[in-house]
Amino acid sequence: PNNPDYGDLKLSTVIRDFPHIDWPILVSNIADPDHGLFAHQDKSFDMYSASSQVGFTSFEVKEIGQSWMLQSKIDPRDKVLQVDQTYRDAAADTGTSKKTSKNTKKNKHEDTLATFTFHAPTFISMKRVNQVTNATKFASVFYVCPVGVGRSRFMAGGMSSIQVPRWLNHLVVLNFLDQDTYLLATQQKHVMAREAQELREILLLNEQEQKDDEQQQQQQPMIRLSTRRKMFCLASPTEKIAATIERFWDATLAQSPNRVTNLLKLDESGALLQGPPPRSVVLDRKTQTLDLCRDSQKTVRLCRRIQTWSRRIWIVLAVTKLFGYLQQQGLPLLMSSTPATTGSGPLRVALQLSKPLVLKTWRFIATSFILWMASYLAKKLEHEFYYKYTDDFRKRDMNKIPKEIWVDK
């Protein structure tokens, strides 16, 4: 998809399928700056959050033709982090805590506004805009596309002065996405089951349950839900964004083509009651990213080649070192009479070329270490494109919250 015009900024992209997350749930998650602080331990989200002391500079909801858009602007100073810093300072002053200050910094964005835009139903952008020139140095853009009820495709990009290769972008973004993907998958069971239940109640009230799919589709524009409005408690000042978007979903989701029919079929089959599959399935990077992206596939193939050739080269070096050792022990005939070493084949050439690397023991050790390191790093890089984010990783990330985001009082 095309992105809005950001001047000379270049686009670095990522892609991922979410076969276990409904598109409205994923959009609402991206649109919640508060969650970024705790689910991702990413302090930059605080620029887009609001507080009782720092409200939105502007909050606008408008219809553009047949589309709907929400845009908010706010001072990008610290809000949640500022309160956290107050608690840390108070604890340090009273001597009740040895925690050091984590969030002491000057406001580096005095002339900018943190701008969030949701252009329904699929596009989100987040950027800091200079109030004078209306220019930006970086922007995050997201397209979340429905590919079925309960499934979505995530396409995102970063607009900046440099373009990062997609496979390298994936290394960072896949770890980021894994941090709360399973949480969203567990949420889906409850939200979609409640939505299906309310749809049945409305259809029963309107005496629509006995009519065929085509007649039901004709009635969908009249259906307005209250599922999300009743389920969620949105009390944070930032959640003015979330509350507005959830009301939009309640008013429009039943008009999405085939959603009512397919959602009710899923409900009838009992699929909505089963809950998400194991973490290894929900967070499977191979099927959700690697199989879709040729850039990443080339990177994985290169990693495997590096591992293979590192082992082969080391074997040649080891054989050459062994022959050299045998020669030193007075067994020169073994080196000179072996068929592989008396002809002009590739093994003889390899052995001859490798001699300078193994004549000295320290050279052999150094070369072996370099080959091992290359193989190790290639294997580690390859692993990034497969299931990685186990529960141990989740616990490690959760431990960062009291250290960096919100101090335990």
Side-chain angles (χ1 to χ4, degrees), residues 195 199 202 216-217 219-225 248-261:
E195 183 181 340
L199 280 170
I202 294 174
Q216 190 182 75
Q217 290 288 341
Q219 294 297 322
Q220 285 183 26
M222 302 299 296
I223 298 176
R224 299 178 68 89
L225 303 172
F248 171 79
W249 295 135
D250 280 344
T252 61
L253 275 182
Q255 302 177 39
S256 180
N258 300 319
R259 182 176 179 86
V260 171
T261 303

Side-chain angles (χ1 to χ4, degrees), residues 22-32 118 121-122 124 144 245 249:
D22 199 25
W23 135 69
I25 293 177
L26 185 54
V27 168
S28 296
N29 177 259
I30 298 172
D32 177 21
F118 171 50
T122 61
I124 292 175
V144 180
I245 293 178
W249 295 135

Side-chain angles (χ1 to χ4, degrees), residues 26-74:
L26 185 54
V27 168
S28 296
N29 177 259
I30 298 172
D32 177 21
D34 282 346
H35 100 279
L37 285 161
F38 296 93
H40 302 290
Q41 303 86 49
D42 189 337
K43 298 179 182 181
S44 65
F45 278 91
D46 204 19
M47 292 185 291
Y48 298 90
S49 67
S51 68
S52 56
Q53 288 77 31
V54 183
F56 291 107
T57 303
S58 69
F59 191 93
E60 184 179 12
V61 176
K62 57 184 177 182
E63 295 184 5
I64 305 175
Q66 295 184 343
S67 64
W68 184 90
M69 188 177 79
L70 180 155
Q71 186 175 80
S72 68
K73 297 181 180 180
I74 194 169

Side-chain angles (χ1 to χ4, degrees), residues 15 166-167 170 289-301:
I15 184 171
R166 184 159 53 181
W167 69 266
H170 278 150
T289 296
L290 181 60
D291 291 347
L292 305 177
C293 180
R294 292 184 179 180
D295 309 52
S296 297
Q297 292 170 12
K298 291 179 181 178
T299 301
V300 169
R301 286 196 295 268

Side-chain angles (χ1 to χ4, degrees), residues 99 115 146 170 193 349 363:
K99 292 182 175 67
T115 304
H170 278 150
V349 174
R363 290 183 181 176

Side-chain angles (χ1 to χ4, degrees), residues 25-315:
I25 293 177
L26 185 54
V27 168
S28 296
N29 177 259
I30 298 172
D32 177 21
D34 282 346
H35 100 279
L37 285 161
F38 296 93
H40 302 290
Q41 303 86 49
D42 189 337
K43 298 179 182 181
S44 65
F45 278 91
D46 204 19
M47 292 185 291
Y48 298 90
S49 67
S51 68
S52 56
Q53 288 77 31
V54 183
F56 291 107
T57 303
S58 69
F59 191 93
E60 184 179 12
V61 176
K62 57 184 177 182
E63 295 184 5
I64 305 175
Q66 295 184 343
S67 64
W68 184 90
M69 188 177 79
L70 180 155
Q71 186 175 80
S72 68
K73 297 181 180 180
I74 194 169
D75 188 336
R77 75 177 72 171
D78 288 346
K79 294 94 173 178
V80 174
L81 296 178
Q82 181 59 46
V83 176
D84 169 65
Q85 187 59 50
T86 302
Y87 289 147
R88 293 182 190 274
D89 292 343
D93 291 342
T94 57
T96 59
S97 173
K98 296 182 179 180
K99 292 182 175 67
T100 58
S101 298
K102 294 286 184 180
N103 298 315
T104 302
K105 65 177 183 179
K106 296 181 179 179
N107 184 7
K108 300 179 181 180
H109 313 290
E110 295 179 352
D111 297 329
T112 63
L113 287 176
T115 304
F116 168 87
T117 303
F118 171 50
H119 198 149
T122 61
F123 176 74
I124 292 175
S125 72
M126 302 173 73
K127 57 184 179 180
R128 296 187 300 276
V129 180
N130 188 286
Q131 300 184 58
V132 179
T133 63
N134 202 36
T136 183
K137 296 181 179 180
F138 181 84
S140 298
V141 294
F142 308 90
Y143 284 93
V144 180
C145 300
V147 292
V149 177
R151 297 179 288 130
S152 56
R153 172 165 288 185
F154 173 88
M155 295 180 288
M159 309 288 296
S160 64
S161 58
I162 60 173
Q163 187 174 35
V164 181
R166 184 159 53 181
W167 69 266
L168 185 58
N169 235 12
H170 278 150
L171 298 185
V172 178
V173 177
L174 291 182
N175 286 321
F176 183 87
L177 295 176
D178 278 353
Q179 288 179 307
D180 61 350
T181 294
Y182 195 74
L183 179 64
L184 297 183
T186 60
Q187 172 187 337
Q188 174 159 302
K189 166 187 173 181
H190 304 284
V191 176
M192 294 184 64
R194 180 65 187 92
E195 183 181 340
Q197 178 185 347
E198 186 175 359
L199 280 170
R200 290 191 182 281
E201 293 172 356
I202 294 174
L203 292 174
L204 180 62
L205 182 63
N206 295 334
E207 298 181 352
Q208 293 293 325
E209 63 181 22
Q210 299 299 325
K211 295 189 176 182
D212 59 31
D213 290 347
E214 181 179 354
Q215 291 172 317
Q216 190 182 75
Q217 290 288 341
Q218 294 174 357
Q219 294 297 322
Q220 285 183 26
M222 302 299 296
I223 298 176
R224 299 178 68 89
L225 303 172
S226 60
T227 304
R228 290 159 175 79
R229 188 166 65 254
K230 291 181 178 179
M231 286 191 72
F232 300 146
C233 179
L234 303 174
S236 162
T238 308
E239 289 172 335
K240 183 178 181 180
I241 297 175
T244 306
I245 293 178
E246 300 303 346
R247 287 196 298 269
F248 171 79
W249 295 135
D250 280 344
T252 61
L253 275 182
Q255 302 177 39
S256 180
N258 300 319
R259 182 176 179 86
V260 171
T261 303
N262 292 331
L263 179 59
L264 294 180
K265 287 181 179 178
L266 284 174
D267 187 44
E268 290 173 357
S269 68
L272 299 182
L273 300 177
Q274 295 177 1
R279 295 180 67 89
S280 58
V281 177
V282 176
L283 305 179
D284 181 16
R285 300 178 179 185
K286 178 184 181 300
T287 58
Q288 298 170 15
T289 296
L290 181 60
D291 291 347
L292 305 177
C293 180
R294 292 184 179 180
D295 309 52
S296 297
Q297 292 170 12
K298 291 179 181 178
T299 301
V300 169
R301 286 196 295 268
L302 178 60
C303 289
R304 290 173 179 171
R305 290 193 190 104
I306 292 174
Q307 293 175 69
T308 300
W309 281 102
S310 295
R311 289 192 292 267
R312 290 177 179 176
I313 293 173
W314 184 86
I315 290 173

